[in-house]
Amino acid sequence: RVHGGTFAEWWEANQRFTFVMGGLDALVYVADLKTYEILYLNDFAKNLFGNSVGQKCWKVLQIGQSGPCEFCTNKHLVSEDGTANDPYVWTFQNTVTQKWFQCHDVAIPWTDGRLGRMEIAADISNRIHAESELKKTGDRYKYEVDVKNRLFSIISHDLKSPFNSLLGMTQV
């Protein structure tokens, strides 16, 4: 018996978990909160960073780090009494892939009793690019409206001058 069930039940549950994690189009990893050791990577993460289980997350998942990342979310995940906080949600551009990710980080107990940071990160690069293009379009529209308004102001002023002269001459 394994953890209250039979080996076959454990194996089936493990297979289901593996299939679900393998089918996600999001990066999922778990790293030890104290040592930063990568404890788990799903297939999506392995395709981006290789099978880096056992290595320090800051060495594998980012470029140019000589220690834990200054933006590491570990400090947000556990309260002073040691209980897990609500998930910490943030957006970040990865330095290895240059892709933008929306990250959901949460502290979870690992199988050996350690506390780990589980991160589920969805690639939002297309959304970020679309928002940037929309902003550029909006800025270009505002600029064109401003140019049109200035042009009409100049035309209106230039048309008023001859009419004002004609009006003055007719009054004389």
Side-chain angles (χ1 to χ4, degrees):
R1 299 187 66 80
V2 180
H3 296 289
T6 66
F7 179 78
E9 291 169 331
W10 172 85
W11 181 255
E12 185 179 330
N14 186 54
Q15 289 299 102
R16 280 194 305 267
F17 174 79
T18 302
F19 289 142
V20 169
M21 289 293 113
L24 289 177
D25 66 344
L27 180 145
V28 179
Y29 78 93
V30 178
D32 185 287
L33 277 175
K34 290 182 181 174
T35 66
Y36 302 94
E37 174 191 354
I38 297 174
L39 304 172
Y40 171 81
L41 291 163
N42 73 340
D43 290 343
F44 189 91
K46 287 176 184 175
N47 287 336
L48 290 176
F49 303 106
N51 189 358
S52 310
V53 172
Q55 297 182 44
K56 305 287 186 191
C57 59
W58 50 268
K59 286 184 177 181
V60 175
L61 305 178
Q62 301 302 327
I63 291 176
Q65 299 295 322
S66 58
C69 305
E70 64 182 42
F71 49 81
C72 183
T73 61
N74 285 1
K75 61 187 171 278
H76 301 288
L77 303 181
V78 180
S79 65
E80 289 181 16
D81 66 3
T83 58
N85 290 333
D86 290 337
Y88 184 79
V89 180
W90 58 300
T91 301
F92 181 73
Q93 185 177 24
N94 182 270
T95 57
V96 174
T97 65
Q98 297 303 308
K99 293 178 182 282
W100 284 93
F101 290 95
Q102 182 170 32
C103 307
H104 295 250
D105 295 5
V106 66
I108 63 167
W110 197 241
T111 57
D112 59 6
R114 293 189 269 183
L115 201 54
R117 175 186 69 246
M118 179 176 69
E119 181 168 292
I120 301 172
D123 183 350
I124 59 167
S125 301
N126 289 340
R127 186 187 91 197
I128 296 291
H129 178 71
E131 287 172 356
S132 174
E133 289 300 313
L134 187 59
K135 183 181 178 336
K136 286 179 191 174
T137 300
D139 290 347
R140 190 170 41 249
Y141 174 75
K142 287 177 189 174
Y143 172 77
E144 290 172 359
V145 166
D146 187 47
V147 167
K148 175 198 63 114
N149 289 341
R150 281 188 276 145
L151 179 63
F152 284 159
S153 176
I154 291 168
I155 291 171
S156 173
H157 178 267
D158 287 351
L159 286 177
K160 284 181 185 175
S161 293
F163 285 129
N164 285 338
S165 296
L166 286 174
L167 185 59
M169 294 294 276
T170 56
Q171 288 176 347
V172 169

